[in-house]
Amino acid sequence: MATAIFSLPKNGMGLHLQTGKPIKNNICCPKISLKHRQKLSEVKTTMKKQIATTGFVLFSFLLPLKAAATTFTQMYVFGDSISDTGNAFNATLQATGTGLPPFPYFNGRFSNGPNWVDYLAEELNLNPTPYTALTPTTIPTQGINFAFGGATTGTANTFNPNLPGLQQQIGAFTSLIPANQSANPDALYVLWAGANDYLATQSTTFTPFTTPTTTIGNLSSALSSLAALGAKNFLVVNLPDLGNLPSTRNTPISSSLTALTNLHNTSLAATVNTFSQTPSSNFNIKLLNVNSLLNDAISNPANYNLTNVTEACINNPNCVGGGQTVQSQYLFWDNIHPSTVSHQQIAELAFKELQTESVPEPASILGTLAFGALATGWRLRQKSKTVS
């Protein structure tokens, strides 16, 4: 087993995966209640012991399996609340007795139903295990979802300072790989983060960035780390217009957030392009253009069977109480997160992108014809599918 140490956010206890003994870091703890700090420490230590106990057997499933060229044998997800399938909920439930986000959010998702990772995994016939659900008897044969709500691309978390950022997620994945072994080259590695780096937050431990330099550097570092471990297949996602969310639209910061989003996405496209041209790398990397998809939905809501693309469903009692019939007409579930039908559209686009063979060009070249075709297919599928 590799002797890597998983450093928990800010005030965590690292756990040596070879000895199983906790190791203190040198960073001062944030000022949270002693009761909750002790409980979070217990939760984190339990999680690390579970992984250490599972050990080599667990990550034997990360080794290469035979797969067709267009088939992924596993799926590993890194990111924030958009991709979180229960990690933040499970961690806060274990620490405080109350899982966040609560009802009417759906099963630990930051939406009113399954999110895009759920839908895409279903399309790929995979079921990645949430990181917080790992136990000695739960072997993640189909991959792991490391995404946590609130994660920035660095080490901070704006939802709860005791939860990990993207860098700890990458570190957790790294620490699980046995010495002299590599990550599964037939798996799909999903990376979507950055919104929490820029959006306003009530966090007292993180200040939002006003330029994309650090964020793009963090994402580039995450890609490089995964590639160094042997990952070959990547799906990287750009950001939606952060200035056109229910919480930011028609506010003084709207235009600056839109400009920042554009800078981020341009820089991300350049990074992905450079990464794909690494000599002798044989990387298969896709850049998913969620920005254009959601902009098209806002401009042409009827194409997506939407009637409200500016407001949050959760702020309207009639929407929340109206069930999926009403909720499915909304683009946004809350002030920053998409509704489950929007997540399904994102997954449809992702699945379609994964079927292509070439690396996508920067986001700006994708035209409305492509999204018109996607919307047409979406309407046809919606007639025969019911969101659960």
Side-chain angles (χ1 to χ4, degrees), residues 220-232:
S220 178
S221 174
L223 282 173
S224 297
S225 296
L226 292 172
L229 293 170
K232 297 293 184 182

Side-chain angles (χ1 to χ4, degrees), residues 72-95:
F72 302 110
T73 58
Q74 295 173 313
M75 182 177 179
Y76 293 94
V77 183
F78 306 89
D80 53 32
S81 54
I82 293 290
S83 306
D84 187 344
T85 55
N87 284 322
F89 182 90
N90 292 340
T92 53
L93 178 63
Q94 293 177 57

Side-chain angles (χ1 to χ4, degrees), residues 56-234:
F56 195 94
V57 175
L58 182 154
F59 238 81
S60 66
F61 291 96
L62 291 180
L63 303 182
L65 301 173
K66 291 183 179 180
T70 57
T71 301
F72 302 110
T73 58
Q74 295 173 313
M75 182 177 179
Y76 293 94
V77 183
F78 306 89
D80 53 32
S81 54
I82 293 290
S83 306
D84 187 344
T85 55
N87 284 322
F89 182 90
N90 292 340
T92 53
L93 178 63
Q94 293 177 57
T96 68
T98 301
L100 300 175
F103 181 83
Y105 287 82
F106 173 82
N107 288 359
R109 277 67 172 171
F110 287 76
S111 190
N112 59 318
N115 67 26
W116 82 285
V117 170
D118 294 305
Y119 289 122
L120 179 59
E122 182 179 6
E123 293 273 15
L124 298 174
N125 295 314
L126 294 173
N127 185 25
T129 303
Y131 178 66
T132 52
L134 294 178
T135 70
T137 58
T138 303
I139 307 301
T141 59
Q142 298 184 37
I144 303 172
N145 186 342
F146 292 88
F148 274 81
T152 66
T153 60
T155 59
N157 189 294
T158 61
F159 184 63
N160 185 310
N162 298 284
L163 299 180
L166 176 63
Q167 300 309 312
Q168 292 99 320
Q169 295 172 32
I170 300 296
F173 176 78
T174 302
S175 71
L176 290 174
I177 297 182
N180 303 317
Q181 299 289 351
S182 61
N184 182 2
D186 295 322
L188 175 65
Y189 297 84
V190 177
L191 182 62
W192 189 0
N196 292 322
D197 288 32
Y198 307 125
L199 290 173
T201 175
Q202 295 181 346
S203 171
T204 60
T205 59
F206 178 77
T207 301
F209 301 142
T210 56
T211 72
T213 304
T214 301
T215 299
I216 296 300
N218 289 338
L219 292 171
S220 178
S221 174
L223 282 173
S224 297
S225 296
L226 292 172
L229 293 170
K232 297 293 184 182
N233 305 300
F234 301 91

Side-chain angles (χ1 to χ4, degrees), residues 8 51 74 83 135 151 168 238 246 280 288 292 312 332:
L8 293 162
I51 294 173
Q74 295 173 313
S83 306
T135 70
Q168 292 99 320
N238 68 9
S280 305
L288 185 62
S292 289
F332 293 99

Side-chain angles (χ1 to χ4, degrees), residues 11 19 32 49 52 79 96 103 111 135 139 145 147 151 187 211 215 217 225 255 272 314 333 344-345 363 367:
N11 66 329
T19 65
I32 61 174
K49 287 183 177 179
T96 68
F103 181 83
S111 190
T135 70
I139 307 301
N145 186 342
T211 72
T215 299
S225 296
S255 59
V272 167
I314 201 169
W333 166 241
Q344 193 168 4
Q345 294 170 40

